[in-house]
Amino acid sequence: MYQVPDQGGKLAVVTGANSGTGKEAARKLAGAGASVIMAVRTVAKGEQAKQTILAAHPRADVQVRRLDLADLASVKEFADQVIADGRPVDLLLNNAGVMMLPERHETVDGFEMQLGTNFFGPFALTLRLLPALLQAKAPRVVTMSSSNQGPIDFNNLNWETGYTPIGAYARSKLADLLMSQQLARIAAQHRWNLLSVGSHPGSAATSIFDNGTQLGGKQPLALRIAARITPTHSAEAGADPMLYAATAADVKQAGYFGPRFGLVGRPASASVSARGKDEKVAARLWAEAERLTGVRTPAHL
C-alpha cells in the first residue's frame, strides 16, 4: 500500500469521504497529519466515518461538512463556507461519484444524474474553490476518472434520448479526465502554481456499483455477473492512485495515475486515452460546463 508522506499543515478537501475510496483517502491523509474536510451528502454517515478515522488516529483534525454534488446550490454553499474560513486549500480530491444507474434520473438542476454528480458538480466545486486553492503554496486538484470512458455527444450531452447505464457512466468519466487535462492547460496559461492531475481506482471493492440501484431499477444480469468475476482490490488500494497523485513528489502537471496492472496493483502512471487527449473536445466541454452550471473560470486570481 502507498505510504502517504507527511502532510502536516495542509488542508485537504475530500468529496465522497463517508465510504469507499473517499473514506480511505481521508483516513490516510489525516493519519499523515493533514487537516481534512470530509465533504459528504449525508452528514450522519460522514460522522460515522469520522469516528472510524479518529479511532485509528485520535489526534486527527477531521471535520464533516455537507456537500451534494447533484445540487449546484449545495456546491456553492459548501464552497462559500470553505472560502469564508480563510484558510488555503492545499488538496482537492474530486472523488465522489455514482455509477451505472439502471434508469435515467436528473439532478435538481436538470442534468443527467451521472454526468451531473460525477462531472458538473466537481467542475463547479473546483472553480468555486480556486481562490482558496491558489492561496496555497503548492495546491493540487485530483479528479477521479475511470478506465471506462465513453465519447462526449454534445448533441445529446444529458442523454435525453438513448440512455444506457454504462454509456452514461463512461461519458461522465471521460468528462472528468478531460476536465483534469483542461484545468492543467488553464493553470499553465495563467501561470498558476497549481497541479491538476487525474486518477482512476481500477476495480476497487466499494459499494458504488450497488449504490446505483438505490434510485430504482435493477442492474442487467450481464453487468451483475461481470461485477462478480472481475478481479478487484480493496478500497484502500483503489484510493492509492488518487493519493499518489495528490501527495507524491514526482507528480507532474496533467499526470494520470491508476493501478499498475490496470484493474489492480500499486499506483503507477496510466496512459491517457486518445479521447482524453482531445484538446478541442476538452475546451468545448469546459465552455459548455461553464454555460450550463453558470460557474466561470475566474479571470483574475
Side-chain angles (χ1 to χ4, degrees), residues 87-126:
R87 183 174 177 182
V89 174
D90 299 273
L91 306 174
L92 170 59
L93 274 59
N94 286 318
N95 162 81
V98 293
M99 180 179 181
M100 298 184 188
L101 305 184
E103 300 173 354
R104 185 183 184 277
H105 295 271
E106 291 187 351
T107 69
V108 296
D109 303 290
F111 304 132
E112 185 277 315
M113 184 65 74
Q114 294 189 77
L115 193 67
T117 304
N118 298 354
F119 170 65
F120 285 124
F123 174 87
L125 176 66
T126 300

Side-chain angles (χ1 to χ4, degrees), residues 18 45 67 79 88 105 133 154 157 179 238:
N18 64 289
K45 292 181 179 179
L67 170 65
H105 295 271
L133 284 160
F154 289 102
L157 188 61
M179 181 179 90

Side-chain angles (χ1 to χ4, degrees), residues 174-250:
L174 175 61
D176 286 334
L177 180 57
L178 290 168
M179 181 179 90
S180 73
Q181 297 286 304
Q182 185 66 9
L183 179 58
R185 296 184 192 100
I186 291 171
Q189 292 167 6
H190 289 274
R191 297 183 180 180
W192 294 337
N193 185 32
L194 176 147
L195 286 182
S196 176
V197 190
S199 70
H200 76 86
S203 182
T206 71
S207 61
I208 188 170
F209 182 77
D210 293 330
N211 285 348
T213 61
Q214 292 180 2
L215 292 175
K218 189 174 183 180
Q219 299 288 12
L221 179 61
L223 269 182
R224 286 181 278 144
I225 293 174
R228 290 182 179 276
I229 65 175
T230 300
T232 61
H233 57 183
S234 67
E236 179 182 1
D240 278 352
M242 177 171 57
L243 287 167
Y244 190 96
T247 64
D250 61 345

Side-chain angles (χ1 to χ4, degrees), residues 15-24 38 40 45 49 95 206-207 211 235:
T15 68
N18 64 289
S19 65
T21 55
K23 179 181 176 181
E24 292 300 322
M38 301 174 68
V40 301
K45 292 181 179 179
N95 162 81
T206 71
S207 61
N211 285 348

Side-chain angles (χ1 to χ4, degrees), residues 4-289:
V4 177
D6 179 37
Q7 299 297 297
K10 293 185 177 181
L11 173 62
V13 174
V14 183
T15 68
N18 64 289
S19 65
T21 55
K23 179 181 176 181
E24 292 300 322
R27 178 181 65 82
K28 294 181 82 167
L29 287 169
S35 299
V36 179
I37 296 176
M38 301 174 68
V40 301
R41 185 178 60 185
T42 305
V43 172
K45 292 181 179 179
E47 290 291 348
Q48 291 176 352
K50 173 183 174 179
Q51 293 307 313
T52 301
I53 293 172
L54 291 176
H57 306 287
R59 296 185 179 181
D61 180 10
V62 183
Q63 56 180 295
V64 176
R65 297 192 186 183
R66 186 178 184 276
L67 170 65
D68 184 354
L69 289 166
D71 182 350
L72 292 178
S74 175
V75 172
K76 182 180 186 300
E77 181 179 7
F78 174 89
D80 286 349
Q81 289 175 350
V82 174
I83 298 294
D85 290 342
R87 183 174 177 182
V89 174
D90 299 273
L91 306 174
L92 170 59
L93 274 59
N94 286 318
N95 162 81
V98 293
M99 180 179 181
M100 298 184 188
L101 305 184
E103 300 173 354
R104 185 183 184 277
H105 295 271
E106 291 187 351
T107 69
V108 296
D109 303 290
F111 304 132
E112 185 277 315
M113 184 65 74
Q114 294 189 77
L115 193 67
T117 304
N118 298 354
F119 170 65
F120 285 124
F123 174 87
L125 176 66
T126 300
L127 265 58
R128 289 194 180 280
L129 287 181
L130 274 176
L133 284 160
L134 295 178
Q135 289 176 4
K137 292 181 179 179
R140 296 191 194 186
V141 176
V142 182
T143 302
M144 185 77 91
S145 181
S146 170
S147 55
N148 187 350
Q149 299 171 13
I152 307 295
D153 180 358
F154 289 102
N155 294 319
N156 187 28
L157 188 61
N158 279 290
W159 296 91
E160 284 85 1
T161 61
Y163 175 84
T164 66
I166 297 176
Y169 177 72
R171 178 175 299 174
S172 73
K173 292 288 102 177
L174 175 61
D176 286 334
L177 180 57
L178 290 168
M179 181 179 90
S180 73
Q181 297 286 304
Q182 185 66 9
L183 179 58
R185 296 184 192 100
I186 291 171
Q189 292 167 6
H190 289 274
R191 297 183 180 180
W192 294 337
N193 185 32
L194 176 147
L195 286 182
S196 176
V197 190
S199 70
H200 76 86
S203 182
T206 71
S207 61
I208 188 170
F209 182 77
D210 293 330
N211 285 348
T213 61
Q214 292 180 2
L215 292 175
K218 189 174 183 180
Q219 299 288 12
L221 179 61
L223 269 182
R224 286 181 278 144
I225 293 174
R228 290 182 179 276
I229 65 175
T230 300
T232 61
H233 57 183
S234 67
E236 179 182 1
D240 278 352
M242 177 171 57
L243 287 167
Y244 190 96
T247 64
D250 61 345
V251 174
K252 292 180 171 49
Q253 187 69 282
Y256 187 46
F257 296 88
R260 180 182 178 185
F261 302 111
L263 293 176
V264 298
R266 295 177 60 85
S269 292
S271 297
V272 177
S273 64
R275 286 172 175 159
K277 294 177 182 177
D278 193 322
E279 295 186 20
K280 290 184 179 179
V281 171
R284 183 178 176 184
L285 181 64
W286 189 277
E288 190 70 355

